[in-house]
Amino acid sequence: MIDNQDSTAQKHIMYMKQALAEAGKAFLLGEVPVGAVVVLDDVIIGRGHNLRETMQDGSAHAEIVALRQAAASQKDWRLSGSSIYTTVEPCPMCAGALLMFRVENLIYGVKDPKAGAVDSLIDIVRDTRFNHQVKVVSGVLEEECKAIIQKFFQQLRKKEEN
């Protein structure tokens, strides 16, 4: 018999791999490699990766792109019961969007000590002053999520040196 915790951990890994695939798309575009997927009833209903440079849109973060796609697929801005998997801890804008879209669960890979608004700088998603809170799981495929970010910035620094 499969332990329910093992089953949940396996799901988290499976969906985080999908988010990492989205981060890879951003990497290839020269965007900061962050990826996200939104899951409802074990189906991915939204995918996104950073597109800020491509779209010249400061709100085109992976999470926002994925949430917009998910809402369009459901024909409802309320994504109650959904989970979002993102490779990096959400910033204040994205953490706020999780509340506004009524996302139930946030699963992320690596903390963002400079802009993280869940565990690093502030905690927007669990603040009881809001009318909605989000459950959080962190550290899923943390090393893989960290590695793609580090590789991106190492390459960027090398380009700037030349």
Side-chain angles (χ1 to χ4, degrees):
M1 185 155 117
I2 295 175
D3 185 314
N4 194 36
Q5 278 188 314
D6 286 344
S7 175
T8 300
Q10 289 171 354
K11 277 186 186 183
H12 287 342
I13 290 167
M14 178 181 72
Y15 291 124
M16 189 60 74
K17 285 181 179 179
Q18 293 294 311
L20 276 163
E22 290 296 319
K25 292 176 186 178
F27 187 97
L28 293 174
L29 291 171
E31 298 274 358
V32 175
V34 178
V37 295
V38 179
V39 177
L40 181 64
D41 298 327
D42 290 325
V43 175
I44 294 175
I45 59 170
R47 296 176 175 273
H49 52 274
N50 273 356
L51 291 170
R52 290 190 310 172
E53 300 299 329
T54 302
M55 297 178 71
Q56 290 299 296
D57 178 351
S59 71
H61 287 205
E63 299 91 337
I64 301 294
V65 172
L67 289 165
R68 287 176 176 161
Q69 189 180 97
S73 79
Q74 299 302 295
K75 297 180 177 40
D76 191 349
W77 61 268
R78 291 173 198 85
L79 298 175
S80 301
S82 69
S83 298
I84 189 165
Y85 292 78
T86 183
T87 56
V88 177
E89 177 185 5
C91 71
M93 175 182 68
C94 293
L98 298 181
L99 297 178
M100 296 301 110
F101 279 91
R102 306 296 192 266
V103 172
E104 185 172 334
N105 302 292
L106 162 65
I107 301 90
Y108 75 86
V110 66
K111 288 184 179 180
D112 183 349
K114 294 183 179 181
V118 177
D119 289 317
S120 295
L121 299 178
I122 56 176
D123 183 359
I124 292 175
V125 299
R126 291 175 288 220
D127 189 323
T128 57
R129 293 173 294 178
F130 293 111
N131 67 341
H132 178 77
Q133 288 78 46
V134 179
K135 297 176 197 127
V136 178
V137 175
S138 62
V140 176
L141 296 182
E142 182 175 8
E143 290 306 312
E144 293 89 333
C145 294
K146 183 191 290 186
I148 192 170
I149 293 284
Q150 288 176 333
K151 182 179 178 185
F152 175 81
F153 284 108
Q154 286 168 353
Q155 287 184 5
L156 189 63
R157 281 190 291 277
K158 281 182 187 174
K159 282 182 192 174
E160 290 173 354
E161 288 172 4
N162 295 331

